[in-house]
Amino acid sequence: MELTILDYIVFFLFVGGAALFGCSFFFRSRRGVAAFTAAEGALPTWVVGMSIFATFVSSISFLGLPGGSYAGNWNQLVFSLSIPIAVWLAAKIFIPLYRGLNSVSAYHYLELKFGYWARAYVAVCYLLTQLARVGSILLLLAIPINTMFGWDIGTIIVVTGIITLIYSLLGGITAVMWTDAIQGIILIIGALVCAVLLTFGMPEGPAQLFEIAAEHDKFSLGSFGLALTEPTFWVVFVYGLMTNLQNYGIDQNYVQRYMTAKSTAEAVKSTLFGGLLYIPVSLVFVYIGTALFSYYTAQPDLLPEGIAGDKVFPYFIVHGLPTGVTGLVIAALFSAGMSTISTSINSSATIILTDFFKKFYRGEQSPRKQMSVLYLSSFLVGVIGIVVGLLMMKVDGILDAWWKLASIFSGGMLGLFLLGLVCHHVKRVSAVIAVAVGLVVIAWMSFLAPLHTYLTIVLGTAAIFLTGFVLTKLLK
């Protein structure tokens, strides 16, 4: 079965409709900086929650989780099991902290604790990470779209980037979060449809799916051993805990959403809803991978040779789904990528304004000039992200490169935040030394250490926190 006119109509209807809907918030975003960056703190709780969920999900999750469980087992699901701890800490500590500071920047807190150098350092790390993130998502989204539609990868990157940039720039955070909510719903519906069709598409009924999967140990969560060179249950769990603490505790993408809620209590509800929603959705994704394994094991003639891993789900979407449903699921995949990109663009523009322009520009900082900075920053981040995506077409192992880069920056950010939270009085020299030690550990873990790469952020964060803590006690 190939793509039909109906599939194209459904795809363009959902994706184009979401983009046009985002652009409709143009006049609201022009009310001022508070509207563009924080929606004037007036968004409904469910929209904030769905936006937090959509921020967490990306095209990597949509394809990576099914691909991983198809090739392996449910080890990736362990990552999600740490989310309740992270969102609980966010609700108890981080959300009241940020709402109390009344700053849309996640890194204003670091300036209060350590001085502007810490704020600037983390803000630069964040911006570099987001540029790499936008480029990576554009490329990772373009590859399966190329497989399914046959369109040129470079063209997909440019067109996707432009569409997302337009509604992000015109509608501000309000457009980003409302379209996040819609795209998140489309993603969930698409995943559930695939799971149901696979379950009841087995030749001998649903029971056959579970029999084949159990026979091949597909439901395993991984080894419970203590090895540090493999993705055991404990390695993935600790990695997930550190990563999710970073996401819900210090990531500008999330902190900015906390500020769009009507109150601290509503922000907490939104975070619990959006964070915990990812757990059952990720379960659906890993189940899809397992179901695909059983589906094609029972019917091996349906899967051509050379189709394996991450390519199996895209193949099933095009060749195994009914007409119309294929277009819906492709739209869900595309929407997941657009949601991630729009979030990075808006949050990066916000950081450029709050953490750099307001600090260094000595001229008049009128509301109109600040809005101009937000528009220009959004445009530049979007364009540079597109260029990064095009350049990454020449890189082998893009996911590995992205994970290493993200680990280097992320470990430094989280460790510094935790140091500030635990130690009330930290001398600047102690914080600087701690960051330097942590970055050395992270670099060693990324390129030389024999340990599993999931431990990079864990050991890097621990090195910064422990070094800073010990120096603070010694240099009282």
Side-chain angles (χ1 to χ4, degrees), residues 99-173:
R99 299 276 304 190
L101 292 174
N102 195 30
S103 173
V104 74
S105 170
Y107 312 126
H108 174 65
Y109 172 74
L110 288 178
E111 182 178 7
L112 298 177
K113 293 295 295 188
F114 305 115
Y116 179 71
W117 73 270
R119 180 177 185 173
Y121 158 72
V122 174
V124 169
C125 290
Y126 174 82
L127 291 174
L128 292 175
T129 304
Q130 294 311 299
L131 290 173
R133 186 188 193 207
V134 170
S136 299
I137 296 297
L138 282 171
L139 178 56
L140 291 169
L141 179 62
I143 292 173
I145 295 298
N146 164 263
T147 302
M148 290 183 276
F149 284 114
W151 298 340
D152 176 69
I153 290 180
T155 302
I156 298 172
I157 290 174
V158 173
V159 172
T160 305
I162 291 175
I163 293 174
T164 310
L165 174 59
I166 289 174
Y167 80 74
S168 301
L169 193 148
L170 293 181
I173 192 67

Side-chain angles (χ1 to χ4, degrees), residues 83-96 241 245 248-249 272:
I83 289 179
I85 300 174
V87 295
W88 180 80
L89 289 173
K92 289 293 183 180
I93 299 173
F94 292 106
I95 294 176
L241 180 60
L245 271 178
Y248 292 99
L272 292 173

Side-chain angles (χ1 to χ4, degrees), residues 120-425:
Y121 158 72
V122 174
V124 169
C125 290
Y126 174 82
L127 291 174
L128 292 175
T129 304
Q130 294 311 299
L131 290 173
R133 186 188 193 207
V134 170
S136 299
I137 296 297
L138 282 171
L139 178 56
L140 291 169
L141 179 62
I143 292 173
I145 295 298
N146 164 263
T147 302
M148 290 183 276
F149 284 114
W151 298 340
D152 176 69
I153 290 180
T155 302
I156 298 172
I157 290 174
V158 173
V159 172
T160 305
I162 291 175
I163 293 174
T164 310
L165 174 59
I166 289 174
Y167 80 74
S168 301
L169 193 148
L170 293 181
I173 192 67
T174 304
V176 170
M177 293 181 64
W178 271 100
T179 50
D180 277 355
I182 295 172
Q183 290 161 344
I185 293 171
I186 295 173
L187 181 145
I188 293 173
I189 293 173
L192 289 174
V193 168
C194 289
V196 170
L197 291 177
L198 281 166
T199 301
F200 292 96
M202 296 295 295
E204 299 177 15
Q208 185 185 19
L209 187 156
F210 295 95
E211 291 171 1
I212 294 175
E215 182 182 342
H216 292 83
D217 199 27
K218 287 293 180 177
F219 297 116
S220 170
L221 294 177
S223 168
F224 283 85
L226 301 179
L228 299 180
T229 56
E230 303 171 5
T232 64
F233 178 94
W234 305 112
V235 167
V236 177
F237 183 82
V238 174
Y239 165 74
L241 180 60
M242 290 295 103
T243 302
N244 288 318
L245 271 178
Q246 172 200 306
N247 289 334
Y248 292 99
I250 69 170
D251 193 301
Q252 175 67 22
N253 296 327
Y254 294 78
V255 173
Q256 201 164 334
R257 277 151 179 74
Y258 302 157
M259 303 304 292
T260 64
K262 298 176 181 178
S263 66
T264 299
E266 295 302 304
V268 168
K269 291 179 184 177
S270 300
T271 303
L272 292 173
F273 167 63
L276 298 179
L277 177 61
Y278 181 78
I279 299 175
V281 173
S282 64
L283 175 60
V284 172
F285 279 130
V286 296
Y287 173 79
I288 287 173
T290 300
L292 285 168
F293 178 85
S294 297
Y295 182 84
Y296 285 120
T297 297
Q299 306 168 97
D301 55 306
L302 296 181
L303 187 66
E305 291 186 16
I307 303 294
D310 292 342
K311 296 180 180 179
V312 175
F313 192 26
Y315 181 85
F316 173 78
I317 291 172
V318 175
H319 299 278
L321 293 177
T323 299
V325 177
T326 296
L328 172 66
V329 175
I330 296 175
L333 168 61
F334 206 78
S335 296
M338 289 175 63
S339 175
T340 305
I341 296 164
S342 64
T343 292
S344 293
I345 290 174
N346 186 272
S347 297
S348 297
T350 301
I351 287 298
I352 291 172
L353 173 68
T354 58
D355 292 32
F356 296 104
F357 177 79
K358 287 186 175 182
K359 284 290 181 181
F360 293 106
Y361 185 72
R362 299 306 177 190
E364 179 189 4
Q365 296 192 15
S366 64
R368 184 173 182 178
K369 186 176 288 293
Q370 290 184 30
M371 287 301 298
S372 297
V373 171
L374 286 171
Y375 288 139
L376 179 60
S377 300
S378 297
F379 177 77
L380 290 176
V381 171
V383 171
I384 295 173
I386 292 172
V387 172
V388 171
L390 294 172
L391 292 175
M392 284 183 168
M393 292 172 60
K394 302 177 181 179
V395 176
D396 291 327
I398 179 59
L399 272 179
D400 288 337
W402 157 244
W403 284 331
K404 286 182 179 179
L405 182 63
S407 293
I408 290 174
F409 293 137
S410 302
M413 293 164 65
L414 180 58
L416 199 56
F417 261 89
L418 294 178
L419 179 62
L421 285 174
V422 174
C423 300
H424 297 294
H425 302 288

